[in-house]
Amino acid sequence: MSVAYDSVDQTAAAAIRLDAELRRAHPRTILEAAVESFGDKLALVSSFGAESSVLLDIAARVKPDIAVLFLDTGMLFGQTLDYRRNLAERLGLTNVRDLRPAYQDLATADPQAKLWQTDTDACCHVRKVLPLDRALGEFDAWITGRKRFHGGDRLNLPVVEHADGKVKFNPLANWGKSDLDAYAAEHDLPAHPLVAQGFPSIGCWPCTQPAEEGEDVRAGRWKGLDKTECGIHVARAPGTPNNVGGDI
Ligand code: SF4
């Protein structure tokens, strides 16, 4: 059964109610509740990065045909593209969608594919935010892989939240690194190949470095810049064209 919410107020109220119910629930319980509430109007957004296998495995057990949205920015490591293919096949996920930047947007904003050198926010906007905005148009709710232990803006992450007219589920918000490692070991999940090379968080190749000993998980992302998020998890003012508000 899936539920349709007719207004932003109803959607926000549903998110508050679900967060209260699911605040301490196991990630699988949260995913089951999300599927129960939203059915085919629910998507999971995954980077197929360093910690993605746990959430993807749980999702595959609950609903193998869930829509999995993968942002193929055109700037990903080849290892990530291989991992996305192999992991989806192994887990039996049948509905992984590769989201690519629009040709027109790239021709206008980044014809040389060098925008990341001068304006990372604009580059993320064209290569991540806009493609995800378009894909999320057909969904009422989505699932992310964000966790509190990543720190920064994620320290106060709720399990269920409301952003830009949609419900966002963060089933792993409560889990720490040891929980993830234990689940991956118990289910024999393959690691992203770059983890063994010192990358605890993996995004686009121009903006990802290995983390040093003792640094935060996301320390190698946009290193040296005043930037910690790509923009898909930032709620925007109503009326802006990319109003989605968004494990990336
Ligand atoms: S992470 Fe870097 S290369 Fe990827 S979209 Fe953002 S700025 Fe561009």
Side-chain angles (χ1 to χ4, degrees):
M1 179 192 73
S2 78
V3 180
Y5 299 105
D6 292 334
S7 70
V8 171
D9 286 347
Q10 282 184 353
T11 308
I16 291 169
R17 177 179 54 76
L18 286 164
D19 185 57
E21 287 174 13
L22 299 168
R23 194 165 287 167
R24 292 181 184 78
H26 187 278
R28 178 167 180 145
T29 305
I30 297 166
L31 264 157
E32 288 170 343
V35 169
E36 169 74 14
S37 296
F38 292 97
D40 289 336
K41 302 298 276 182
L42 173 75
L44 186 158
V45 178
S46 178
S47 64
F48 285 79
E51 295 169 343
S52 299
S53 64
V54 170
L55 186 60
L56 290 168
D57 183 78
I58 298 171
R61 291 168 191 271
V62 173
K63 190 177 192 298
D65 66 344
I66 190 170
V68 178
L69 308 181
F70 171 63
L71 285 162
D72 180 357
T73 63
M75 294 286 182
L76 297 177
F77 291 96
Q79 291 93 329
T80 300
L81 300 177
D82 290 343
Y83 188 61
R84 170 253 177 272
R85 251 189 323 274
N86 297 336
L87 187 61
E89 189 177 322
R90 172 167 171 161
L91 299 180
L93 290 163
T94 60
N95 190 12
V96 182
R97 306 179 188 184
D98 299 320
L99 311 183
R100 299 196 172 91
Y103 173 78
Q104 302 270 23
D105 292 340
L106 290 181
T108 304
D110 192 12
Q112 309 288 326
K114 291 180 178 174
L115 189 56
W116 62 271
Q117 296 178 353
T118 55
D119 191 340
T120 51
D121 285 345
C123 185
C124 283
H125 184 73
V126 170
R127 295 179 181 275
K128 294 183 177 181
V129 175
L130 291 180
L132 185 62
D133 273 6
R134 294 183 183 115
L136 283 175
E138 67 178 279
F139 299 100
D140 294 334
W142 52 303
I143 301 167
T144 88
R146 291 176 299 161
K147 302 122 194 139
R148 283 188 206 115
F149 84 89
H150 282 180
D153 292 344
R154 305 184 178 196
L155 275 172
N156 298 314
L157 190 66
V159 167
V160 187
E161 59 188 322
H162 170 253
D164 302 307
K166 298 184 193 293
V167 175
K168 286 167 74 173
F169 292 87
N170 307 305
L172 300 178
N174 294 326
W175 271 21
K177 181 83 170 72
S178 58
D179 300 307
L180 297 172
D181 290 346
Y183 185 98
E186 182 184 348
H187 296 88
D188 195 24
L189 298 177
H192 189 296
L194 290 177
V195 170
Q197 296 180 38
F199 293 81
S201 178
I202 301 158
C204 297
W205 65 263
C207 304
T208 306
Q209 295 179 32
E212 306 293 332
E213 189 77 31
E215 283 187 325
D216 285 348
V217 169
R218 289 172 65 83
R221 307 286 295 273
W222 303 285
K223 200 159 195 168
L225 299 180
D226 182 22
K227 178 176 172 73
T228 57
E229 298 282 351
C230 61
I232 66 172
H233 295 291
V234 177
R236 288 173 282 269
T240 52
N242 54 332
N243 190 24
V244 291
D247 141 51
I248 307 272

Short mmCIF file of all heavy atoms in Angstrom, two decimals, residues 29-74:
data_model
loop_
_atom_site.label_atom_id
_atom_site.label_comp_id
_atom_site.label_asym_id
_atom_site.label_seq_id
_atom_site.Cartn_x
_atom_site.Cartn_y
_atom_site.Cartn_z
N THR A 29 13.96 -2.21 9.02
CA THR A 29 12.61 -1.80 9.41
C THR A 29 12.26 -0.45 8.78
O THR A 29 11.12 -0.23 8.33
CB THR A 29 12.51 -1.71 10.95
OG1 THR A 29 12.92 -2.94 11.51
CG2 THR A 29 11.11 -1.37 11.40
N ILE A 30 13.25 0.43 8.75
CA ILE A 30 13.01 1.76 8.15
C ILE A 30 12.72 1.63 6.66
O ILE A 30 11.80 2.24 6.12
CB ILE A 30 14.23 2.68 8.41
CG1 ILE A 30 14.41 2.89 9.92
CG2 ILE A 30 14.06 4.01 7.69
CD1 ILE A 30 15.75 3.49 10.30
N LEU A 31 13.50 0.79 6.00
CA LEU A 31 13.28 0.58 4.56
C LEU A 31 11.91 -0.06 4.30
O LEU A 31 11.21 0.32 3.34
CB LEU A 31 14.39 -0.31 4.00
CG LEU A 31 15.53 0.49 3.36
CD1 LEU A 31 16.81 -0.31 3.32
CD2 LEU A 31 15.14 0.89 1.95
N GLU A 32 11.54 -1.02 5.13
CA GLU A 32 10.23 -1.66 4.95
C GLU A 32 9.11 -0.64 5.13
O GLU A 32 8.12 -0.64 4.37
CB GLU A 32 10.07 -2.82 5.93
CG GLU A 32 10.94 -4.02 5.58
CD GLU A 32 10.99 -5.08 6.67
OE1 GLU A 32 10.64 -4.78 7.84
OE2 GLU A 32 11.42 -6.20 6.36
N ALA A 33 9.26 0.23 6.12
CA ALA A 33 8.24 1.26 6.34
C ALA A 33 8.18 2.24 5.17
O ALA A 33 7.10 2.69 4.77
CB ALA A 33 8.54 2.01 7.64
N ALA A 34 9.34 2.56 4.61
CA ALA A 34 9.38 3.48 3.46
C ALA A 34 8.66 2.86 2.27
O ALA A 34 7.86 3.52 1.59
CB ALA A 34 10.83 3.80 3.11
N VAL A 35 8.92 1.58 2.02
CA VAL A 35 8.28 0.88 0.90
C VAL A 35 6.77 0.77 1.15
O VAL A 35 5.95 0.99 0.25
CB VAL A 35 8.91 -0.51 0.69
CG1 VAL A 35 8.09 -1.35 -0.29
CG2 VAL A 35 10.35 -0.36 0.21
N GLU A 36 6.41 0.46 2.39
CA GLU A 36 5.00 0.35 2.75
C GLU A 36 4.27 1.68 2.53
O GLU A 36 3.14 1.72 2.05
CB GLU A 36 4.89 -0.07 4.24
CG GLU A 36 3.51 0.02 4.85
CD GLU A 36 2.58 -1.09 4.39
OE1 GLU A 36 3.09 -2.06 3.81
OE2 GLU A 36 1.35 -0.97 4.60
N SER A 37 4.94 2.77 2.84
CA SER A 37 4.29 4.08 2.73
C SER A 37 4.26 4.61 1.31
O SER A 37 3.32 5.31 0.93
CB SER A 37 5.03 5.11 3.61
OG SER A 37 4.94 4.76 4.97
N PHE A 38 5.30 4.32 0.53
CA PHE A 38 5.42 5.00 -0.76
C PHE A 38 5.48 4.08 -1.97
O PHE A 38 5.41 4.57 -3.11
CB PHE A 38 6.64 5.93 -0.75
CG PHE A 38 6.46 7.09 0.19
CD1 PHE A 38 6.97 7.06 1.47
CD2 PHE A 38 5.73 8.20 -0.20
CE1 PHE A 38 6.78 8.12 2.35
CE2 PHE A 38 5.54 9.27 0.65
CZ PHE A 38 6.06 9.22 1.93
N GLY A 39 5.64 2.78 -1.79
CA GLY A 39 5.61 1.85 -2.93
C GLY A 39 6.54 2.26 -4.05
O GLY A 39 7.72 2.57 -3.84
N ASP A 40 5.98 2.32 -5.27
CA ASP A 40 6.81 2.66 -6.44
C ASP A 40 7.10 4.15 -6.56
O ASP A 40 7.78 4.58 -7.50
CB ASP A 40 6.11 2.17 -7.72
CG ASP A 40 6.15 0.66 -7.83
OD1 ASP A 40 7.05 0.05 -7.22
OD2 ASP A 40 5.28 0.09 -8.53
N LYS A 41 6.58 4.95 -5.63
CA LYS A 41 6.90 6.38 -5.63
C LYS A 41 8.12 6.68 -4.76
O LYS A 41 8.36 7.83 -4.37
CB LYS A 41 5.70 7.20 -5.14
CG LYS A 41 4.45 7.00 -5.94
CD LYS A 41 4.62 7.44 -7.39
CE LYS A 41 4.39 8.93 -7.55
NZ LYS A 41 4.50 9.32 -8.98
N LEU A 42 8.87 5.63 -4.45
CA LEU A 42 10.06 5.73 -3.60
C LEU A 42 11.29 5.36 -4.41
O LEU A 42 11.28 4.36 -5.14
CB LEU A 42 9.91 4.75 -2.43
CG LEU A 42 11.11 4.56 -1.50
CD1 LEU A 42 11.26 5.77 -0.58
CD2 LEU A 42 10.92 3.28 -0.66
N ALA A 43 12.36 6.16 -4.28
CA ALA A 43 13.63 5.84 -4.95
C ALA A 43 14.75 5.81 -3.92
O ALA A 43 14.63 6.38 -2.84
CB ALA A 43 13.93 6.90 -6.01
N LEU A 44 15.82 5.13 -4.25
CA LEU A 44 17.03 5.12 -3.41
C LEU A 44 18.14 5.77 -4.22
O LEU A 44 18.36 5.40 -5.38
CB LEU A 44 17.39 3.68 -3.04
CG LEU A 44 18.54 3.45 -2.04
CD1 LEU A 44 18.39 2.07 -1.39
CD2 LEU A 44 19.92 3.53 -2.68
N VAL A 45 18.81 6.75 -3.64
CA VAL A 45 19.90 7.42 -4.33
C VAL A 45 21.22 6.88 -3.79
O VAL A 45 21.47 6.93 -2.58
CB VAL A 45 19.82 8.96 -4.13
CG1 VAL A 45 21.00 9.65 -4.82
CG2 VAL A 45 18.51 9.49 -4.69
N SER A 46 22.04 6.33 -4.67
CA SER A 46 23.29 5.72 -4.23
C SER A 46 24.44 6.15 -5.11
O SER A 46 24.32 6.25 -6.33
CB SER A 46 23.18 4.19 -4.26
OG SER A 46 24.41 3.61 -3.87
N SER A 47 25.60 6.36 -4.47
CA SER A 47 26.82 6.69 -5.21
C SER A 47 27.61 5.44 -5.57
O SER A 47 28.64 5.54 -6.23
CB SER A 47 27.70 7.61 -4.37
OG SER A 47 28.13 6.93 -3.20
N PHE A 48 27.15 4.27 -5.11
CA PHE A 48 27.97 3.05 -5.24
C PHE A 48 29.40 3.36 -4.80
O PHE A 48 30.37 3.05 -5.49
CB PHE A 48 27.90 2.49 -6.67
CG PHE A 48 26.61 1.81 -6.97
CD1 PHE A 48 25.46 2.52 -7.28
CD2 PHE A 48 26.53 0.42 -6.92
CE1 PHE A 48 24.25 1.88 -7.54
CE2 PHE A 48 25.31 -0.24 -7.19
CZ PHE A 48 24.18 0.50 -7.49
N GLY A 49 29.49 4.00 -3.62
CA GLY A 49 30.78 4.41 -3.09
C GLY A 49 31.28 3.45 -2.02
O GLY A 49 30.89 2.28 -1.97
N ALA A 50 32.11 4.01 -1.12
CA ALA A 50 32.83 3.17 -0.15
C ALA A 50 31.92 2.43 0.81
O ALA A 50 32.25 1.33 1.25
CB ALA A 50 33.81 4.05 0.62
N GLU A 51 30.77 3.03 1.17
CA GLU A 51 29.91 2.41 2.18
C GLU A 51 28.53 2.05 1.61
O GLU A 51 27.61 1.77 2.36
CB GLU A 51 29.72 3.38 3.35
CG GLU A 51 31.01 3.66 4.12
CD GLU A 51 30.85 4.81 5.10
OE1 GLU A 51 29.88 5.58 4.97
OE2 GLU A 51 31.72 4.93 5.98
N SER A 52 28.40 2.06 0.30
CA SER A 52 27.07 1.92 -0.30
C SER A 52 26.51 0.51 -0.24
O SER A 52 25.29 0.32 -0.31
CB SER A 52 27.09 2.38 -1.76
OG SER A 52 27.44 3.74 -1.85
N SER A 53 27.36 -0.49 -0.14
CA SER A 53 26.89 -1.87 -0.31
C SER A 53 25.88 -2.27 0.77
O SER A 53 24.98 -3.07 0.49
CB SER A 53 28.07 -2.85 -0.31
OG SER A 53 28.72 -2.84 0.94
N VAL A 54 26.02 -1.72 1.98
CA VAL A 54 25.13 -2.14 3.07
C VAL A 54 23.69 -1.73 2.78
O VAL A 54 22.77 -2.57 2.81
CB VAL A 54 25.61 -1.54 4.41
CG1 VAL A 54 24.57 -1.75 5.50
CG2 VAL A 54 26.95 -2.15 4.81
N LEU A 55 23.47 -0.48 2.47
CA LEU A 55 22.11 -0.01 2.19
C LEU A 55 21.54 -0.69 0.95
O LEU A 55 20.36 -1.07 0.91
CB LEU A 55 22.11 1.51 2.02
CG LEU A 55 20.75 2.17 1.87
CD1 LEU A 55 19.88 1.91 3.09
CD2 LEU A 55 20.91 3.68 1.66
N LEU A 56 22.37 -0.86 -0.07
CA LEU A 56 21.91 -1.52 -1.30
C LEU A 56 21.52 -2.97 -1.03
O LEU A 56 20.53 -3.47 -1.58
CB LEU A 56 22.99 -1.44 -2.38
CG LEU A 56 23.23 -0.03 -2.95
CD1 LEU A 56 24.51 -0.01 -3.78
CD2 LEU A 56 22.05 0.43 -3.79
N ASP A 57 22.28 -3.65 -0.17
CA ASP A 57 21.96 -5.04 0.17
C ASP A 57 20.62 -5.11 0.91
O ASP A 57 19.78 -5.96 0.60
CB ASP A 57 23.07 -5.64 1.03
CG ASP A 57 22.81 -7.10 1.35
OD1 ASP A 57 23.04 -7.95 0.46
OD2 ASP A 57 22.35 -7.39 2.48
N ILE A 58 20.43 -4.22 1.87
CA ILE A 58 19.16 -4.22 2.62
C ILE A 58 17.99 -3.92 1.66
O ILE A 58 16.96 -4.59 1.69
CB ILE A 58 19.20 -3.20 3.77
CG1 ILE A 58 20.29 -3.57 4.77
CG2 ILE A 58 17.85 -3.13 4.47
CD1 ILE A 58 20.56 -2.50 5.82
N ALA A 59 18.19 -2.95 0.79
CA ALA A 59 17.13 -2.60 -0.16
C ALA A 59 16.81 -3.76 -1.08
O ALA A 59 15.63 -4.03 -1.37
CB ALA A 59 17.56 -1.37 -0.98
N ALA A 60 17.83 -4.47 -1.54
CA ALA A 60 17.61 -5.60 -2.45
C ALA A 60 16.81 -6.70 -1.76
O ALA A 60 16.03 -7.41 -2.40
CB ALA A 60 18.94 -6.14 -2.95
N ARG A 61 16.98 -6.84 -0.44
CA ARG A 61 16.24 -7.86 0.30
C ARG A 61 14.78 -7.44 0.51
O ARG A 61 13.89 -8.27 0.60
CB ARG A 61 16.89 -8.11 1.67
CG ARG A 61 18.25 -8.79 1.54
CD ARG A 61 19.01 -8.77 2.87
NE ARG A 61 20.38 -9.20 2.65
CZ ARG A 61 20.80 -10.46 2.72
NH1 ARG A 61 19.94 -11.41 3.03
NH2 ARG A 61 22.05 -10.77 2.47
N VAL A 62 14.55 -6.14 0.61
CA VAL A 62 13.18 -5.64 0.86
C VAL A 62 12.40 -5.48 -0.44
O VAL A 62 11.23 -5.87 -0.53
CB VAL A 62 13.24 -4.29 1.61
CG1 VAL A 62 11.86 -3.67 1.72
CG2 VAL A 62 13.86 -4.48 3.00
N LYS A 63 13.05 -4.90 -1.46
CA LYS A 63 12.35 -4.63 -2.73
C LYS A 63 13.38 -4.60 -3.86
O LYS A 63 13.92 -3.53 -4.21
CB LYS A 63 11.63 -3.28 -2.63
CG LYS A 63 10.67 -3.00 -3.78
CD LYS A 63 9.94 -1.66 -3.55
CE LYS A 63 8.77 -1.45 -4.49
NZ LYS A 63 9.11 -1.39 -5.88
N PRO A 64 13.69 -5.75 -4.46
CA PRO A 64 14.77 -5.79 -5.46
C PRO A 64 14.53 -4.91 -6.68
O PRO A 64 15.49 -4.53 -7.36
CB PRO A 64 14.85 -7.27 -5.86
CG PRO A 64 13.73 -7.96 -5.18
CD PRO A 64 13.13 -7.07 -4.16
N ASP A 65 13.28 -4.55 -6.94
CA ASP A 65 13.03 -3.69 -8.11
C ASP A 65 12.88 -2.22 -7.71
O ASP A 65 12.38 -1.40 -8.51
CB ASP A 65 11.81 -4.16 -8.89
CG ASP A 65 10.52 -4.00 -8.09
OD1 ASP A 65 10.59 -3.82 -6.85
OD2 ASP A 65 9.43 -4.06 -8.70
N ILE A 66 13.33 -1.86 -6.52
CA ILE A 66 13.29 -0.45 -6.13
C ILE A 66 14.11 0.37 -7.13
O ILE A 66 15.14 -0.11 -7.64
CB ILE A 66 13.83 -0.26 -4.69
CG1 ILE A 66 13.56 1.17 -4.20
CG2 ILE A 66 15.32 -0.60 -4.60
CD1 ILE A 66 13.84 1.35 -2.71
N ALA A 67 13.64 1.57 -7.44
CA ALA A 67 14.40 2.44 -8.35
C ALA A 67 15.65 2.94 -7.64
O ALA A 67 15.55 3.63 -6.62
CB ALA A 67 13.53 3.61 -8.79
N VAL A 68 16.81 2.58 -8.14
CA VAL A 68 18.09 3.05 -7.58
C VAL A 68 18.65 4.09 -8.54
O VAL A 68 18.89 3.79 -9.72
CB VAL A 68 19.08 1.89 -7.41
CG1 VAL A 68 20.42 2.41 -6.88
CG2 VAL A 68 18.51 0.83 -6.45
N LEU A 69 18.83 5.30 -8.03
CA LEU A 69 19.30 6.39 -8.87
C LEU A 69 20.80 6.58 -8.65
O LEU A 69 21.24 6.85 -7.53
CB LEU A 69 18.54 7.68 -8.54
CG LEU A 69 17.01 7.58 -8.56
CD1 LEU A 69 16.38 8.95 -8.24
CD2 LEU A 69 16.50 7.05 -9.90
N PHE A 70 21.57 6.45 -9.71
CA PHE A 70 23.04 6.53 -9.65
C PHE A 70 23.49 7.70 -10.51
O PHE A 70 23.24 7.72 -11.72
CB PHE A 70 23.63 5.21 -10.17
CG PHE A 70 25.12 5.23 -10.38
CD1 PHE A 70 25.98 5.41 -9.31
CD2 PHE A 70 25.66 5.05 -11.65
CE1 PHE A 70 27.36 5.41 -9.50
CE2 PHE A 70 27.04 5.05 -11.85
CZ PHE A 70 27.89 5.23 -10.77
N LEU A 71 24.14 8.67 -9.86
CA LEU A 71 24.59 9.86 -10.59
C LEU A 71 25.92 9.60 -11.27
O LEU A 71 26.98 9.63 -10.64
CB LEU A 71 24.71 11.04 -9.61
CG LEU A 71 23.38 11.64 -9.18
CD1 LEU A 71 23.54 12.47 -7.91
CD2 LEU A 71 22.80 12.49 -10.30
N ASP A 72 25.85 9.33 -12.57
CA ASP A 72 27.07 9.14 -13.36
C ASP A 72 27.46 10.50 -13.91
O ASP A 72 27.00 10.93 -14.97
CB ASP A 72 26.81 8.14 -14.48
CG ASP A 72 28.07 7.92 -15.33
OD1 ASP A 72 29.09 8.59 -15.07
OD2 ASP A 72 28.01 7.10 -16.25
N THR A 73 28.30 11.21 -13.16
CA THR A 73 28.62 12.60 -13.47
C THR A 73 29.49 12.77 -14.71
O THR A 73 29.70 13.88 -15.18
CB THR A 73 29.37 13.24 -12.29
OG1 THR A 73 30.62 12.52 -12.11
CG2 THR A 73 28.56 13.17 -11.00
N GLY A 74 30.05 11.67 -15.20
CA GLY A 74 31.04 11.78 -16.27
C GLY A 74 32.44 11.99 -15.72
O GLY A 74 33.40 12.09 -16.48
#
